[in-house]
Amino acid sequence: MKIIQKSILQLKGAEYYVYHLSIINPFLPVALSPREIEVLGCFMSFKGELAEKDRFGTTFRKEVKRLLSMSDAGLSNHITSLRSKGAIQEDLQGIVQIAAILIPEEKQQFYQFKIVQE
């Protein structure tokens, strides 16, 4: 069996998460749009205690809007769409979290796919 491999190196910040989301997007029950992937990738790139407690709060929303040159309404629409697609959801304490299936390993993520022809 021929194995196809490729390494993508030197990704910084949100780039890592955008690549990850782009790779797994075809396998999600409801696909994310390219802009939703960018928005979610930005939110995923934030680190620290504040990000863990309030990743989708005002502080980080302002930063995402600045990084992606978006309006308040545009960002709100994408967040609403991410919520309706199940990419983000509220936990029992009412904190908006990213769906666990979408979160990659911190430094590197490996993927394995198998396709079989009948």
Side-chain angles (χ1 to χ4, degrees):
M1 175 170 59
K2 180 174 123 180
I3 297 176
I4 300 170
Q5 289 182 316
K6 178 173 179 156
S7 294
I8 302 169
L9 307 171
Q10 310 281 325
L11 297 174
K12 294 183 174 131
E15 273 184 316
Y16 175 75
Y17 298 100
V18 169
Y19 257 94
H20 166 71
L21 292 169
S22 297
I23 290 168
I24 67 168
N25 195 37
F27 303 103
L28 299 176
V30 180
L32 302 176
S33 73
R35 192 62 165 172
E36 289 167 345
I37 288 173
E38 283 183 303
V39 169
L40 189 55
C42 270
F43 279 111
M44 291 171 86
S45 71
F46 299 129
K47 304 293 178 224
E49 190 176 322
L50 181 58
E52 295 307 314
K53 290 183 179 177
D54 194 22
R55 183 176 305 277
F56 293 91
T58 307
T59 303
F60 296 113
R61 283 181 186 225
K62 285 181 184 178
E63 186 63 14
V64 170
K65 286 189 305 186
R66 185 187 69 75
L67 290 169
L68 299 178
S69 301
M70 296 182 78
S71 66
D72 288 334
L75 181 59
S76 291
N77 288 342
H78 287 299
I79 289 174
T80 299
S81 181
L82 288 168
R83 191 182 303 249
S84 71
K85 291 180 177 184
I88 60 175
Q89 51 212 222
E90 284 188 25
D91 65 12
L92 297 175
Q93 291 82 25
I95 298 171
V96 179
Q97 299 287 334
I98 298 166
I101 190 73
L102 300 178
I103 300 172
E105 295 294 323
E106 274 303 308
K107 298 290 181 188
Q108 62 182 349
Q109 178 65 55
F110 294 93
Y111 305 92
Q112 184 173 0
F113 308 113
K114 179 179 180 179
I115 59 173
V116 179
Q117 182 180 15
E118 268 190 315

